[in-house]
């Protein structure tokens, strides 16, 4: 994993450099813009960097195979590498923006153990004793910081693509990035729609609708799209791109199912989120759909009644956790995770990719689906 | 103005074509995404298209001068023209996104005579009788549609820039677009900050702070940046770019001051916004700062008490309007508008730009500062 550690460092350096540039621009406009840089820096200091890793390994997977006998001249190779680092950093900025807007929509109080951005702007207002409602100021500040980060992610990608010699590679990368943005955004909408409109649909429909949310909101976004972006930067052939997608999609599903389990059963000390956060939010996940389909009418009604209540106390959370676990839904989700990981592993086993990359992808598959945070 | 009318049509066609493409992609994901296309279409069907016009005239201003004796081959010329139309359309999409997020922050009910986007998503939820709070669903829907439009504006720009033969022109255009996004976003923040923190500052400071908000939130964004983007697409020389900025900046200030007057005194039938909307919102504009500095202590306290109260009734609005008018602030703002327009006019009079463009810019300057909506 030495290469991965180095990548994470390079992405951090690129993020810091970009933020330092922007911070000095903002400081020239007004001192009061300091929170934008500070909050962005905190958001970009943490995280698992899975998106950056998958982008990098998407590129590595195809790069050395394109023409092993005719390596690129060192200069081109190094500017291509720099472009990949910039694209990885762009993904991390986009993700930071998504988290800020996501926390705003979900009204979440915390993110990675710190107050969420809207809460931080809210505190700024409250501490200064400014006029108007602090909560409203907080929401507006977070909306704007998210917008800023969206624009900045795009600038990072552009700066990377400008280093590439072949304009068709840059165009292919932009198509992937654009598709990712659209799909994750509408996936988020399908998610909130499901929270609101689930009762209109039968149990079977709820399950397939929960799968659709996973696919667009998370699976494609977190794994398939970063892999495809990296592969595009390496000038992937169609069969290579297809193998990577066939690996990324089921792995992304498994990744999100693990997230759903952590959202209900995760250890707050490790996830940085309160216990049972998804239960208070009323997320209609595959886990919940499976539990509902396995519960008796009475137990199902009790679950429906509590789910999505922002005031759930610790005892109620524990009760819901037991109900879900006792339904057998947790084991079933674990089996689906396993099944999807094995689909991913076999997609990559015989893929037209470098051996080093296949091994690395296989290790990443374990890492993203066996995590505890 | 025949050329301007034709431009507006071409931008509309480009917007419709792009939306039709995206709508069919969204339809493949889920039928429930239909409101995204529908609401976006309504947002992009109206508006004054000033940004598109300034971008186009920024390009026209420098284009024919670059080398009048060596016109571009027809093919290059037409793909450059197409790139300009795409950039104009990108500006309109960005602006649509800004309006959606702006209405969300300001909690505005209407936009161009229709319910604002968050209210439309809210109604969707309420009419369907879905679970959870309709207002919250509405806010999330609008946040996401705004994010989507931000991404799409970027795709439109990219598609345009891909048509250009010279990568350095594309890079210059991206720099202008990126700077515009950052400046308007932080300008919005300075605006909400002023609404909250105005009382901390002396009357003189309030005026200069209100000017700073105008400059970043509006003047640069609405006029200077579109002109500079267009000029960059035409390969402007530095002196040309400087003249256009010296024209655009004071004109942008005048444009926003007109907007501030309309926000307080505008006719709802023409503005599409309720009478005195800015008073309910508590916007700390130059108009308000001037009125405060001219009022006696008692009248000033009465103004401060009512300003920003979302429940102001018609009579209170009329009273505030009289107070502001009687202070003499309206005449003073009109004089500042006139002064800024004349600064803009003299900047363009001797500029190294085509004569047709200088005349056109001069006419646009009248149009954007003498409007009633």
């Amino acid at each position: 994993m030495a290469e991965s550690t180095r990548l994470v460092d390079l992405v951090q350096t690129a993020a810091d450099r970009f933020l330092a540039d922007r911070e000095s621009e903002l400081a020239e406009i007004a001192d009061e813009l300091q929170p934008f840089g500070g909050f962005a820096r905190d958001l970009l200091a943490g995280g698992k960097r899975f998106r950056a890793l998958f982008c990098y390994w998407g590129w590595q997977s195809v790069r050395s195979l394109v023409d092993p006998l005719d390596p690129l001249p060192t200069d081109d190779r190094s500017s291509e590498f720099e472009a990949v680092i910039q694209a990885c950093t762009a993904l991390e900025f986009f993700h930071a923006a998504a988290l800020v807007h996501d926390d705003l929509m979900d009204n979440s109080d915390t993110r990675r153990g710190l107050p969420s951005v809207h809460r931080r702007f809210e505190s700024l207002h409250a501490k200064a004793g400014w006029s108007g409602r602090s909560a409203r100021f907080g929401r507006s500040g977070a909306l704007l910081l998210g917008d800023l980060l969206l624009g900045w992610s795009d600038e990072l990608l552009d700066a990377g693509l400008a280093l590439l010699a072949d304009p068709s590679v840059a165009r292919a990368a932009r198509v992937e990035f654009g598709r990712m943005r659209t799909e994750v955004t509408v996936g988020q909408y399908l998610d909130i729609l499901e929270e609101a409109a689930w009762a209109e649909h039968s149990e079977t429909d709820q399950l397939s609708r929960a799968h659709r949310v996973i696919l667009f909101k998370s699976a494609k976004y977190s794994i398939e799209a970063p892999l495809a972006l990296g592969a595009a930067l390496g000038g992937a052939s169609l069969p290579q791109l297809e193998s990577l997608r066939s690996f990324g999609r089921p792995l992304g599903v498994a990744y999100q199912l693990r997230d759903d389990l952590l959202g209900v059963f995760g250890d707050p000390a490790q996830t940085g989120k309160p216990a049972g956060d998804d239960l208070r939010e009323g997320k209609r996940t595959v886990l919940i759909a499976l539990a509902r389909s396995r519960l008796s009418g009475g137990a199902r009604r009790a679950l429906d009644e509590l789910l999505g209540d922002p005031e759930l106390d610790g005892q109620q959370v524990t009760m819901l956790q037991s109900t879900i676990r006792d339904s057998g839904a947790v084991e079933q989700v674990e089996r689906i995770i396993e099944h999807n990981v094995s689909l991913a592993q076999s997609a990559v086993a015989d893929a037209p990719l470098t051996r080093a990359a296949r091994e690395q992808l296989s290790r990443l598959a374990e890492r993203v689906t066996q995590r505890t945070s």
Side-chain angles (χ1 to χ4, degrees), chain A residues 118-302:
Chain A
H118 58 113
R119 292 279 179 244
R120 295 184 78 176
F121 276 111
E122 187 178 330
S123 301
L124 200 69
H125 185 281
K127 278 179 194 150
W130 291 330
S131 64
R133 290 195 299 122
S134 299
R136 185 179 166 190
F137 183 85
R139 284 201 303 270
S140 296
L143 178 67
L144 292 169
L145 178 57
D147 287 354
L148 205 56
L149 289 167
L150 286 179
W152 288 353
S153 75
D154 189 48
E155 288 180 42
L156 278 157
L157 183 72
D158 286 338
L161 299 183
L163 301 170
L164 296 175
D166 182 350
S168 71
V169 169
R171 267 201 296 280
R174 276 189 220 286
V175 168
E176 292 299 341
F177 201 77
R179 183 189 296 138
M180 175 197 78
R181 279 193 299 220
T182 296
E183 287 185 347
V184 70
T185 308
V186 302
Q188 293 261 49
Y189 179 73
L190 295 176
D191 195 20
I192 60 160
L193 188 68
E194 235 27 55
E195 271 175 54
W198 62 272
E200 284 178 3
H201 305 283
S202 70
E203 265 98 64
T204 332
D205 276 5
Q206 282 179 29
L207 189 59
S208 71
R209 294 172 69 91
H211 263 297
R212 187 178 67 176
V213 169
I214 279 197
L215 188 63
F216 287 99
K217 186 196 154 179
S218 180
K220 284 165 159 273
Y221 167 57
S222 305
I223 300 185
E224 185 186 338
L227 276 172
L229 176 62
L233 289 169
S237 68
L238 268 185
Q240 289 179 321
L241 201 55
E242 272 318 302
S243 315
L244 287 168
R245 288 192 191 285
S246 309
F247 165 77
R249 206 167 307 175
L251 184 61
V253 170
Y255 171 83
Q256 181 56 42
L257 292 174
R258 174 63 61 212
D259 226 51
D260 291 350
L261 287 172
L262 290 169
V264 174
F265 300 101
D267 174 2
Q270 296 202 49
T271 62
K273 286 268 185 186
D277 212 31
D278 281 6
L279 298 171
R280 286 194 192 82
E281 243 179 66
K283 288 244 163 288
R284 292 283 156 176
T285 59
V286 169
L287 174 69
I288 297 297
L290 287 172
R292 289 188 79 254
S293 72
R294 290 162 156 268
L295 289 170
S296 69
R300 185 159 64 222
R301 273 190 298 277

Side-chain angles (χ1 to χ4, degrees), chain A residues 31-101:
Chain A
D31 289 342
E32 294 93 330
L33 298 174
Q34 195 272 330
F36 280 87
F39 297 170
R41 212 167 264 285
D42 287 341
L43 282 167
L44 284 153
K48 295 178 281 283
R49 306 268 188 246
F50 283 148
R51 288 163 194 85
L53 285 168
F54 281 110
C55 178
Y56 176 79
W57 284 104
W59 175 68
Q60 269 294 315
S61 300
V62 304
R63 194 61 200 101
S64 336
L65 262 193
V66 171
D67 189 353
L69 298 175
D70 179 22
L72 288 171
T74 318
D75 279 0
D76 274 14
R77 170 64 99 166
S78 75
S79 49
E80 191 179 312
F81 179 71
E82 187 51 41
V84 173
I85 298 300
Q86 291 285 111
C88 290
T89 314
L91 288 172
E92 295 293 325
F93 270 67
F94 180 84
H95 190 54
L99 294 179
V100 173
H101 282 179

Side-chain angles (χ1 to χ4, degrees), chain A residues 280-348:
Chain A
R280 286 194 192 82
E281 243 179 66
K283 288 244 163 288
R284 292 283 156 176
T285 59
V286 169
L287 174 69
I288 297 297
L290 287 172
R292 289 188 79 254
S293 72
R294 290 162 156 268
L295 289 170
S296 69
R300 185 159 64 222
R301 273 190 298 277
L303 175 72
D304 287 341
E305 221 154 90
L306 289 175
L307 206 66
D309 176 354
E311 312 292 330
L312 287 185
D313 62 25
Q315 208 180 354
Q316 287 170 313
V317 166
T318 310
M319 208 191 71
L320 281 173
Q321 287 172 331
S322 304
T323 306
I324 294 166
R325 196 184 295 280
D326 294 348
S327 75
V330 175
E331 281 90 346
Q332 198 177 346
V333 170
E334 290 287 2
R335 281 196 301 275
I336 305 175
I337 291 177
E338 211 174 294
H339 173 66
N340 276 285
V341 172
S342 86
L343 283 178
Q345 298 286 21
S346 45
V348 89

Side-chain angles (χ1 to χ4, degrees), chain A residues 89-120:
Chain A
T89 314
L91 288 172
E92 295 293 325
F93 270 67
F94 180 84
H95 190 54
L99 294 179
V100 173
H101 282 179
D102 205 27
D103 286 343
L104 187 58
M105 285 189 288
D106 292 345
N107 207 19
S108 302
D109 294 330
T110 52
R111 169 63 62 186
R112 294 178 185 153
L114 278 178
S116 51
V117 168
H118 58 113
R119 292 279 179 244
R120 295 184 78 176

